[in-house]
């Protein structure tokens, strides 16, 4: 039996990290993610980890880089505005192949925006975590339990692939309290051959992303890693897809809402299913491959102008069967509205 | 026979790649000598910013972390917190530390983190081809101050050590120069002091080193040393601003 707690999503992220074996947490306050840092300030010492509040997100992520370079298990928590500032160093860490976990709790809209639920940072974290064209794994939990599971797991993923890993969710999921079960045990930590660890007598090591003499070979090594990640990290949930004529696609809390929509639609006799990407980078294209050339319709639901819908269209082959439902930014999509759109699509079918 | 001068174990057999007459090789050699003399080769980590010294990991034998432009101070703080056994020093130019990384350079001193900051001040952005730096002297011609630095428009040269010395969190702050042998020996003493402070848990130390840049200054190496002695020191006085 694990340990159950009734806890906020953000605090669940912090507690899961402590239990996974997080040794250093570096942080700058930003709503709606600040509870992660507050929880760490109060609890990380329990396991001997270090907490530091930096003077900015730029400093926080570079502190994390410095800690990670020693082989310590490190993390930061932020929101889109902070993630923008961190992107420079995330690129350096991806280039230097240094593991770390970044929890990004999305804010709504560009600029200062607002705090309502949104998914506007999909492209930012999956495609644009800084310059240079790196790919980093991104988990998209849909509830507090998944925040716990994925934060815990992400430390292992980061070390296995030697890369920063993002856990992305919206402010709603971060603020709501839910009952969760914490897994037992830490993420297993294996010895490595790259970090600046304490090993008297070993040869000096260099942790760097700079390849002034020519980056060709290093690029190909990174590409091979991205291929490996694409092979091993395509994660998704399929629900009622076997006989579905219309398949909803949604990640995070939208995926959770869509699951309820599927049940409602089935009650009405609509053959509706759901594909919920659990990792949004690498995008789980293989979930969609079998539908190429079929008459199955896809309806992607996002709380943004439309970002993941392009990945869906690419995976399924864009045609008249791919549709997008743009929810107004700043509120969760209503089940009734999605159902109406499904009825419409069904009508167009017959 | 007794050896009176040897190569530091901090360097391998590769050439440094610096321009003839550059000061970086002297400073990094002195740091290497300190490493040997203090017996910290297993604990020492250099955190490099971005500038002419970025590729210096090639010829050094101990642990090195290369981080984004201006950010070594933050990375050093994070590293020291995660592993207090390390002897962590930042190695940056005047643009890296005083301009793009101003905040990340000053804040370790605000916090009083037990790290060592070595700053090499040559009054220009050298690696990018000689643009105006925060330390460029009034009237000094650079590629981006072609008529000479106009201090009314761009401000006076930045004195980072004096500023950092005013913070309660700093413990040892000095400015030294490489322009002749006597001053190089003093510079070595200051750098060693900065590392000893960290080893002994004294706290934050910063040493700024006035350094020649013949390629960008368009001067012969010997003339560069004269320029430091005559002009640069007038703007940037040498001395220990704080601590023993």
């Amino acid at each position: 039996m694990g340990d159950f707690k009734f806890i906020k999503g953000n605090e669940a992220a912090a507690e899961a990290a402590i239990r996974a074996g997080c040794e250093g947490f570096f942080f700058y306050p930003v709503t709606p993610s600040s509870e992660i840092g507050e929880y760490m300030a109060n609890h990380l010492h329990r396991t001997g980890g270090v907490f530091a509040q930096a003077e900015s997100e730029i400093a926080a992520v570079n502190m994390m880089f410095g800690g990670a370079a020693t082989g310590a298990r490190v993390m930061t928590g932020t929101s889109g505005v902070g993630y923008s500032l961190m992107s420079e160093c995330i690129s350096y860490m991806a280039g230097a192949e240094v593991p770390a976990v970044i929890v990004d709790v999305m804010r709504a809209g560009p600029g200062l925006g607002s705090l309502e639920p949104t998914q506007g940072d999909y492209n930012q974290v999956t495609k644009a975590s800084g310059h240079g064209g790196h790919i980093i794994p991104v988990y998209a939990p849909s509830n507090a339990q998944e925040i716990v599971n994925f934060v815990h797991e992400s430390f292992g993923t980061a070390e296995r692939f030697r890369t920063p890993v993002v856990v992305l969710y919206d402010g709603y999921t971060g603020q709501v309290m839910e009952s969760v079960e914490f897994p037992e045990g830490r993420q297993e930590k294996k010895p490595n051959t790259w970090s600046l660890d304490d090993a008297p007598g070993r040869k000096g090591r260099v942790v760097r992303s700079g390849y002034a003499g020519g980056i060709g070979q290093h690029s190909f090594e990174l590409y091979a890693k991205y291929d490996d990640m694409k092979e091993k990290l395509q994660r998704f949930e399929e629900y009622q897809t076997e006989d579905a004529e219309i398949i909803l696609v949604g990640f995070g809390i939208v995926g959770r809402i869509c699951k309820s929509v599927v049940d409602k639609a089935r009650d009405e006799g609509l053959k509706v299913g759901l594909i919920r990407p659990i990792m949004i980078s690498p995008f789980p294209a293989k979930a969609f491959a079998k539908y190429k050339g079929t008459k199955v319709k896809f309806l992607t639901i996002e709380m943004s102008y439309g970002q993941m819908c392009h990945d869906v269209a690419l995976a399924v082959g864009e045609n008249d069967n791919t549709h997008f439902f743009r929810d107004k930014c700043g509120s969760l999509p209503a089940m009734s509205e999605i159902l109406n759109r499904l009825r419409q699509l069904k009508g167009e079918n017959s | 026979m007794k050896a009176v001068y040897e190569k530091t174990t901090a360097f391998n057999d590769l050439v440094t790649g610096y321009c003839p007459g550059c000061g970086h090789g002297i400073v990094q050699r002195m740091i290497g000598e300190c490493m040997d003399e203090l017996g910290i080769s297993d604990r020492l980590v250099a955190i490099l910013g971005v500038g002419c010294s970025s590729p210096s990991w090639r010829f050094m034998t101990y642990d090195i972390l290369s981080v984004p432009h201006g950010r070594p101070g933050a990375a050093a703080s994070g590293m020291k917190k995660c592993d207090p056994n390390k002897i962590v020093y930042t190695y940056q130019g005047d643009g890296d530390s005083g301009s793009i990384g101003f905040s990340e350079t000053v804040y370790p001193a605000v916090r009083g983190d037990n790290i060592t900051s070595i700053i090499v001040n040559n009054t220009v952005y050298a690696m990018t081809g000689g643009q105006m730096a925060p330390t460029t002297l009034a009237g000094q011609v650079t590629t981006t101050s072609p008529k000479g630095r106009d201090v009314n428009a761009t401000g006076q040269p930045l004195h980072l050590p004096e500023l950092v010395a005013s913070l309660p969190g700093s413990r040892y702050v000095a400015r030294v120069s490489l322009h002749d042998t006597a001053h190089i020996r003093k510079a070595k003493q200051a750098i060693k002091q900065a590392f000893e402070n960290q080893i002994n848990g004294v706290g934050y130390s910063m040493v700024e080193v006035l350094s020649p840049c013949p390629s960008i200054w368009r001067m012969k190496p010997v003339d560069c040393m004269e320029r430091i002695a005559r002009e640069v020191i007038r703007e940037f006085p040498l001395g220990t601003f704080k601590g023993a």
Side-chain angles (χ1 to χ4, degrees):
Chain A
M1 270 288 276
D3 183 11
F4 286 90
K5 267 192 187 350
F6 185 60
I7 193 169
K8 256 189 181 190
N10 283 340
E11 294 179 340
E15 179 62 29
I18 294 170
R19 291 178 186 229
C22 180
E23 294 163 294
F25 183 83
F26 304 96
F27 163 78
Y28 186 79
V30 53
T31 313
S33 73
S34 299
E35 293 88 356
I36 304 173
E38 290 170 342
Y39 193 91
M40 284 297 202
N42 284 292
H43 295 276
L44 186 53
H45 61 83
R46 238 172 45 208
T47 52
V50 290
F51 166 88
Q53 180 170 325
E55 67 271 25
S56 69
E57 280 96 349
I58 295 174
V61 71
N62 280 281
M63 283 181 175
M64 183 172 80
F65 190 12
T70 67
R73 198 167 257 178
V74 293
M75 175 167 139
T76 187
T78 189
S79 179
V81 284
Y83 195 88
S84 294
L85 287 173
M86 291 183 178
S87 295
E88 173 194 49
C89 190
I90 293 170
S91 169
Y92 274 71
M93 294 181 78
E97 299 188 85
V98 171
V101 173
I102 302 150
V103 177
D104 180 358
V105 190
M106 288 178 277
R107 292 171 67 102
L112 190 58
S114 187
L115 301 171
E116 298 98 324
T118 179
Q119 297 182 316
D121 293 351
Y122 176 91
N123 278 350
Q124 185 187 27
V125 296
T126 64
K127 314 233 180 322
S129 294
H131 59 283
H134 52 277
I135 293 170
I136 57 176
V138 181
Y139 288 87
S142 65
N143 56 36
Q145 183 63 59
E146 285 191 343
I147 291 176
V148 166
N149 297 347
F150 298 161
V151 165
H152 200 278
E153 181 183 312
S154 64
F155 286 98
T157 305
E159 286 160 23
R160 182 171 157 215
F161 290 95
R162 280 187 62 183
T163 178
V165 172
V166 175
V167 178
L168 178 79
Y169 53 87
D170 64 284
Y172 190 92
T173 311
Q175 298 295 324
V176 164
M177 290 183 83
E178 297 189 77
S179 181
V180 301
E181 181 184 8
F182 287 97
E184 285 179 18
R186 313 173 112 201
Q187 283 287 317
E188 188 195 356
K189 194 169 181 182
K190 293 182 178 146
N192 68 66
T193 57
W194 62 268
S195 71
L196 312 181
D197 55 1
D198 284 329
R202 77 155 159 70
K203 283 183 70 174
R205 289 175 176 166
V206 182
V207 175
R208 65 182 165 112
S209 61
Y211 286 81
I215 199 163
Q217 182 59 32
H218 177 60
S219 293
F220 286 124
E221 285 161 11
L222 291 178
Y223 295 169
K225 175 161 80 176
Y226 303 153
D227 285 343
D228 194 32
M229 289 186 337
K230 274 190 179 175
E231 179 61 34
K232 295 181 178 133
L233 295 181
Q234 292 194 34
R235 293 261 299 275
F236 53 91
E237 180 191 3
E238 285 171 308
Y239 182 64
Q240 306 265 38
T241 51
E242 297 79 11
D243 62 341
E245 292 168 358
I246 306 171
I247 294 178
L248 291 169
V249 188
F251 74 95
I253 196 166
V254 173
R256 181 176 175 180
I257 292 166
C258 285
K259 205 167 180 179
S260 304
V261 173
V262 169
D263 292 339
K264 287 242 180 205
R266 289 265 166 185
D267 289 346
E268 289 184 20
L270 295 172
K271 288 185 176 173
V272 175
L274 166 70
I275 294 177
R276 180 173 69 90
I278 287 174
M279 296 197 75
I280 51 175
S281 172
F283 186 73
K286 62 177 156 196
F288 301 88
K290 61 186 168 199
Y291 301 104
K292 270 190 182 172
T294 68
K295 289 185 172 169
V296 175
K297 293 187 175 187
F298 286 86
L299 179 60
T300 304
I301 319 282
E302 287 179 84
M303 295 189 287
S304 74
Y305 183 76
Q307 300 183 12
M308 185 178 71
C309 58
H310 300 294
D311 284 330
V312 174
L314 206 62
V316 83
E318 186 159 20
N319 54 37
D320 292 345
N321 292 333
T322 54
H323 301 269
F324 174 64
F325 179 97
R326 180 184 306 143
D327 193 63
K328 57 189 177 298
C329 186
S331 65
L332 296 172
M335 287 172 62
S336 56
E337 288 178 38
I338 302 174
L339 266 170
N340 280 339
R341 186 76 185 97
L342 284 169
R343 291 182 196 117
Q344 251 178 17
L345 276 179
K346 172 70 181 168
E348 290 164 18
N349 235 3
S350 50
Chain B
M1 245 195 325
K2 187 184 164 207
V4 292
Y5 194 70
E6 285 180 300
K7 187 180 149 189
T8 164
T9 64
F11 285 2
N12 59 30
D13 290 335
L14 297 176
V15 295
T16 65
Y18 292 127
C19 305
C22 173
H24 272 305
I26 303 171
V27 183
Q28 288 179 305
R29 179 186 159 102
M30 290 192 293
I31 293 169
E33 287 174 2
C34 292
M35 178 188 91
D36 291 334
E37 290 162 20
L38 297 168
I40 52 172
S41 59
D42 285 337
R43 300 166 65 193
L44 189 65
V45 184
I47 303 197
L48 305 174
V50 174
C52 292
S53 61
S54 303
S56 60
W57 56 267
R58 286 171 200 275
F59 59 82
M60 296 204 283
T61 57
Y62 53 96
D63 282 356
I64 289 167
L65 171 63
S66 157
V67 302
H69 196 22
R71 320 297 179 214
S77 294
M79 179 176 286
K80 190 77 180 179
K81 284 177 199 303
C82 282
D83 187 352
N85 179 53
K86 298 269 187 241
I87 302 300
V88 184
Y89 78 95
T90 62
Y91 191 79
Q92 304 168 262
D94 43 289
D96 195 274
S97 58
S99 189
I100 189 168
F102 183 86
S103 174
E104 290 78 24
T105 306
V106 171
Y107 257 85
V110 172
R111 286 185 294 265
D113 290 333
N114 186 27
I115 64 162
T116 301
S117 172
I118 308 292
I119 290 163
V120 178
N121 176 359
N122 61 9
T123 75
V124 284
Y125 283 97
M127 196 194 209
T128 44
Q131 295 81 17
M132 186 181 73
T135 47
T136 297
L137 304 191
Q140 183 178 340
V141 173
T142 70
T143 59
T144 52
S145 56
K147 293 178 180 169
R149 181 174 187 174
D150 175 3
V151 293
N152 292 320
T154 65
Q156 295 287 341
L158 177 68
H159 292 216
L160 201 53
E162 286 89 333
L163 188 147
V164 165
S166 73
L167 299 168
S170 61
R171 288 290 174 268
Y172 175 69
V173 184
R175 182 182 289 116
V176 295
S177 171
L178 301 180
H179 68 272
D180 60 28
T181 312
H183 282 91
I184 288 172
R185 292 172 78 92
K186 279 189 188 166
K188 164 82 181 289
Q189 283 170 4
I191 290 169
K192 196 167 179 179
Q193 181 69 58
F195 280 112
E196 281 172 339
N197 286 349
Q198 187 176 163
I199 293 166
N200 297 328
V202 170
Y204 181 90
S205 300
M206 172 187 277
V207 177
E208 183 181 277
V209 185
L210 301 182
S211 180
C213 182
S215 297
I216 298 299
W217 294 0
R218 308 272 194 274
M219 294 168 101
K220 291 175 185 162
V222 173
D223 296 341
C224 286
M225 298 309 195
E226 280 175 15
R227 177 184 181 240
I228 294 175
R230 270 189 287 113
E231 284 181 52
V232 183
I233 285 177
R234 232 178 9 204
E235 175 63 41
F236 297 113
L238 305 181
T240 303
F241 303 110
K242 196 171 190 180

